[in-house]
Amino acid sequence: MSATPQKNRASRRVLAAAAGLATVGALVAAMPAGAHDRGHGHGHKPRTVDVQLLSFNDLHGNLEPPAGSAGSVSETQADGTVKSIPAGGVEYLATSLRTARKGHPYSVTAAGGDMVGASPLLSGLFHDEPTIEALNGLDLDVTAVGNHEFDEGATELARLQNGGCHPVEGCYEQGKKFKGADFPYLAANVTAEKTGRPILKPYTVWKKNGVKIGFIGVTLEGTPNIVTANGVKGLKFHDEIETVNKYAKELDRQGVKSIVALIHEGGAPASASYNYDCDSPGAGDGISGPIVDIAKGITPKVDALVTGHTHQAYVCTVPDPAGNPRMVTSASSFGKVYTDTTLTYDRRTRDIVRTSVKSAKSENHVVTRDQAKATDMTALIARWNTLAAPIANRPQGFISADINGRGSTAPEKPLGNVIADAQLEGLAPADKGGAVVAFMNPGGIRSDLVYAASGSEGAGVVTYGEAFTVQPFTNMMNVVDLTGAQLVTALQQQVSGSNAASPKILQVSKGLTYTLDLTKSGADRVVAASILLNGEAIDPAKTYRVAMNEFLAGGGDGFAALGQGTNKLVGPSDLDLFNAYLAAHSTATAPLAPPATDRITVIQ
C-alpha cells in the first residue's frame, strides 16, 4: 500500500552502511530433527530435515493491537459466511511465534519489509526505535527493506540497523543508547548512486548444525514513486527479478543451495479471507498483481517467496520457470497474521525438496487476542507509553461515531472527506495559499477514527495519538497553480497509467463532484463532463489554486499532473491542519459526525 512518506529530518547524506552481522537466534546444538530414528547408536543423521520458516510483513510499527476495522482479519466459515476476528499486537504476535517454534529445533523467522514507517504515535514519535526493540525481542532473524524503510532516508535506515541515538532528538531514555537491529535488513536491489553498491547487505545465510539457508531481500523497484524525493535521494532501485537471480547465482556458487527470497511487493488474492484457497481451481489461479510475474521470472534456484506490500493474506503455489511448484506467501499486515512454512532440507543435495508430490507446506495463522500476552512485550509497550503519554493523550476533538478511513473499501471514504476539508479550510485564506480545492491520497490515511476510547480519555474523544495514527507522516502541505486541463488529467490518472490495474481514488474536498464509471476502462472511467467545482464546470484554460501534501505535489502515486504545479506555497503539516479542523468543528456537546459521502458518484 503506497502512502505519503515522512519528511526526512535526518541528514541527507547517503550512507553505504554495511549492515551488522545477523545474530542467528541462539545457535544451540539442538537435537537434529528426526533424531528419533532409533537404534543407530553412532549418531546416524536422517537424510532430510524439516526447517520451519515463520514469516510476517507490513508491521508498520503496530506494537499495540490496531484499533477499529484495521485490527481484524476475515475468515471464511465452513458454511460460506465470513467472520471477523480481532487480531494483532506484538504481545500476541510474540506469543504466537514462540508457541509455533516449540518442538521445531530448526526454526527461522523472516519478514517481508515495512516493519517501520507510517507507524502509530507509540513508535513513530521515537523514530521507530520501539519497533526495532520489539523485533529484536521477537527473535526476528532477517527482513527485507520495504518502501517505508526509506521514509526518513538512507542515513536513518542505517541508524535503525546499526544503532546510535537520533541525530536531532538524541537518546530518548536517560543513559540508554539505541542498540539498533540485531537482525540484518537486506536491500539487494537498492544501491548508492555514487558507488553502485548495495546500501545494506544483499543477502544473509542462516546456519544451524550444517543446515544452510540463504535469504535475499529486495523492495519493489517502484519505491521512488511512492516515497518522498528526500527519502530516496542518492539511491537507485533495480529490477526485482534480475537482482534476486543475480544473488541466487552467487549463493549457489558458495554452496548455498536452499534459498528464500524476501520481496516487498505483492499480489491481490480473489478473496480477502486469510484462509482462502489461492490454488483453486489450479496452482496460483487465485492471485493477480505484480508478484505473479515476478514469481514466474525468478530462477528455480530460489525455493520460496515471502512477499508483502499489498497488506493481503495469501498462500499460493506459483510454478517456477522450470514448472516446479513454489510457495508464494504473504501475511496480511500490522502483525495480524503469520505464515508457517515447512521447508524439507536434503542434507546430501543441500537443497529444499520441491517436487509435485512434496512441495513446501505452508499455512497462514491468525494472531488472535485470546491467547496469553508476552510479558516482555507488555513491559516494552508500557515503558514507551510512559514516555509518549504527555503528547499522546492530549485531546484534539470529539466525534459522535467511527469515521472510517483505512477500514473503508469505498472509493470515497468518510475520513478522506474530513482530511480534504481540513486541508482546504486551513489553506483557503488568501494569505495561506488561496486554495479552492484539496486532494488527499488514499494510501496516506493509515487508520480509522474510532469512537471507542483507546485509553482513559473517554469514548468519542480524539487524542493527539489517535490523530497521529491516521496521518503519521507529518507531510508539509503545498498549494500550487494548476490549469483546469491539468486538474482533469490528474483525476483521470486515478484510473489510468500506473493506476489502471488498481485505481488510487483521491479524496476530494467539499465542492468538487464528479462521476466515476467503473463499467468503462482507463481514463474514460472518470466522466470528464461530470466534473464540477462548486457547481461549475472546470475551465481547461483557467488557473486553480490546489492544496495537497508534498508527496502528491511531487507527482507521487502516479499523479504526474499534480507534479506540474507552479507558484508553490508551503504551508503547515497535514497533521496540524487535521488537528486544527477537529478543534474548530467539534466540542464535547457537539461532536463531529461522520460526513456524507456524496462527492463521487460511482457507477459499478
Side-chain angles (χ1 to χ4, degrees):
M1 297 284 163
S2 60
T4 22
Q6 192 154 338
K7 272 210 336 270
N8 177 10
R9 296 193 197 81
S11 67
R12 306 278 194 260
R13 201 161 42 85
V14 168
L15 205 68
L21 284 171
T23 50
V24 174
L27 282 173
V28 283
M31 290 281 283
H36 50 264
D37 291 6
R38 290 173 291 283
H40 292 291
H42 42 261
H44 163 78
K45 281 185 174 173
R47 173 150 175 188
T48 62
V49 172
D50 279 351
V51 177
Q52 178 189 53
L53 170 63
L54 299 176
S55 56
F56 58 97
N57 52 276
D58 296 275
L59 180 64
H60 290 287
N62 279 267
L63 301 181
E64 295 176 294
S69 56
S72 64
V73 169
S74 298
E75 179 182 72
T76 301
Q77 307 300 299
D79 63 1
T81 58
V82 177
K83 182 177 160 189
S84 186
I85 303 172
V90 292
E91 294 159 294
Y92 303 112
L93 179 60
T95 299
S96 287
L97 294 176
R98 288 164 187 172
T99 305
R101 288 178 192 135
K102 282 179 182 153
H104 294 275
Y106 293 85
S107 182
V108 57
T109 304
D114 277 6
M115 294 296 98
V116 300
S119 307
L121 186 85
L122 176 61
S123 187
L125 189 63
F126 305 106
H127 295 275
D128 284 312
E129 289 180 23
T131 297
I132 298 295
E133 194 181 301
L135 292 170
N136 288 345
L138 287 177
D139 291 324
L140 181 63
D141 289 303
V142 57
T143 183
V145 291
N147 51 293
H148 283 279
E149 264 80 18
F150 294 93
D151 285 350
E152 295 189 51
T155 307
E156 174 62 4
L157 172 56
R159 184 183 78 89
L160 291 181
Q161 175 72 85
N162 300 320
C165 295
H166 193 269
V168 177
E169 292 170 31
C171 301
Y172 295 112
E173 292 177 291
Q174 201 74 43
K176 276 181 88 170
K177 187 178 163 211
F178 173 59
K179 291 191 177 74
D182 65 12
F183 50 88
Y185 258 114
L186 303 181
N189 68 330
V190 188
T191 58
E193 276 174 0
K194 281 189 178 140
T195 64
R197 295 174 55 181
I199 59 160
L200 292 168
K201 289 172 65 158
Y203 59 81
T204 191
V205 180
W206 179 87
K207 301 177 183 134
K208 181 155 186 183
N209 295 345
V211 174
K212 289 183 188 177
I213 298 181
F215 288 88
I216 302 166
V218 295
T219 185
L220 69 153
E221 187 182 5
T223 291
N225 308 325
I226 53 176
V227 172
T228 48
N230 282 332
V232 294
K233 202 170 179 179
L235 304 179
K236 281 187 105 150
F237 292 77
H238 304 270
D239 182 84
E240 303 94 340
I241 299 172
E242 283 171 26
T243 305
V244 171
N245 289 355
K246 170 184 158 182
Y247 287 110
K249 200 180 281 181
E250 194 170 307
L251 281 166
D252 188 61
R253 280 202 302 268
Q254 293 172 19
V256 178
K257 308 289 182 189
S258 300
I259 302 171
V260 175
L262 308 174
I263 303 176
H264 191 70
E265 177 60 290
S271 159
S273 291
Y274 84 94
N275 59 338
Y276 161 70
D277 180 3
C278 188
D279 290 336
S280 167
D285 284 346
I287 189 168
S288 58
I291 200 62
V292 179
D293 287 336
I294 291 173
K296 287 177 177 168
I298 283 177
T299 171
K301 289 188 194 338
V302 173
D303 299 296
L305 275 57
V306 170
T307 74
H309 188 57
T310 56
H311 291 206
Q312 303 297 312
Y314 48 83
V315 170
C316 307
T317 313
V318 180
D320 70 16
N324 287 324
R326 183 164 60 188
M327 294 310 309
V328 178
T329 67
S330 175
S332 183
S333 65
F334 299 175
K336 294 183 289 190
V337 171
Y338 72 93
T339 313
D340 188 337
T341 303
T342 304
L343 301 171
T344 301
Y345 182 92
D346 185 322
R347 288 183 185 276
R348 205 169 300 165
T349 63
R350 291 176 295 187
D351 208 346
I352 302 301
V353 180
R354 281 199 297 127
T355 62
S356 49
V357 186
K358 192 165 175 59
S359 173
K361 293 191 296 292
S362 196
E363 204 177 347
N364 273 334
H365 300 277
V366 180
V367 176
T368 59
R369 297 185 197 164
D370 56 6
Q371 57 187 324
K373 294 180 180 184
T375 53
D376 56 330
M377 294 296 153
T378 305
L380 181 148
I381 288 169
R383 208 179 86 235
W384 288 103
N385 261 332
T386 303
L387 288 172
I391 294 171
N393 298 339
R394 285 205 305 256
Q396 301 297 314
F398 304 84
I399 55 174
S400 63
D402 288 3
I403 305 182
N404 283 344
R406 194 76 182 183
S408 164
T409 53
E412 181 185 348
K413 305 169 194 313
L415 189 51
N417 287 356
V418 174
I419 291 169
D421 289 352
Q423 295 177 353
L424 178 62
E425 185 170 295
L427 299 170
D431 61 335
K432 297 283 193 291
V436 294
V437 65
F439 292 131
M440 174 64 189
N441 56 311
I445 307 169
R446 302 307 294 188
S447 68
D448 304 333
L449 272 187
V450 179
Y451 179 77
S454 61
S456 57
E457 78 276 9
V461 179
V462 179
T463 63
Y464 184 86
E466 290 165 337
F468 182 98
T469 298
V470 170
Q471 294 211 89
F473 299 107
T474 50
N475 257 314
M476 301 318 284
M477 291 300 302
N478 289 183
V479 186
V480 299
D481 282 350
L482 287 172
T483 65
Q486 287 169 325
L487 257 185
V488 172
T489 301
L491 290 172
Q492 291 171 332
Q493 285 170 346
Q494 301 177 108
V495 290
S496 61
S498 62
N499 294 329
S502 56
K504 289 197 171 78
I505 305 302
L506 294 165
Q507 305 299 291
V508 299
S509 55
K510 60 173 182 278
L512 185 79
T513 55
Y514 70 95
T515 298
L516 188 64
D517 186 348
L518 297 176
T519 64
K520 299 201 164 97
S521 65
D524 293 342
R525 288 185 273 193
V526 171
V527 182
S530 72
I531 305 171
L532 302 176
L533 182 58
N534 302 322
E536 289 183 17
I538 300 285
D539 178 348
K542 194 177 154 188
T543 297
Y544 296 85
R545 291 291 282 164
V546 183
M548 64 194 109
N549 59 46
E550 61 187 339
F551 170 65
L552 280 177
D557 263 356
F559 291 102
L562 297 181
Q564 294 165 355
T566 56
N567 195 14
K568 177 168 81 175
L569 181 119
V570 177
S573 77
D574 51 8
L575 181 60
D576 286 347
L577 291 182
F578 184 51
N579 282 331
Y581 186 85
L582 289 171
H585 292 269
S586 69
T587 62
T589 50
L592 182 71
T597 48
D598 53 7
R599 300 169 191 184
I600 305 172
T601 302
V602 182
I603 300 171
Q604 300 276 15

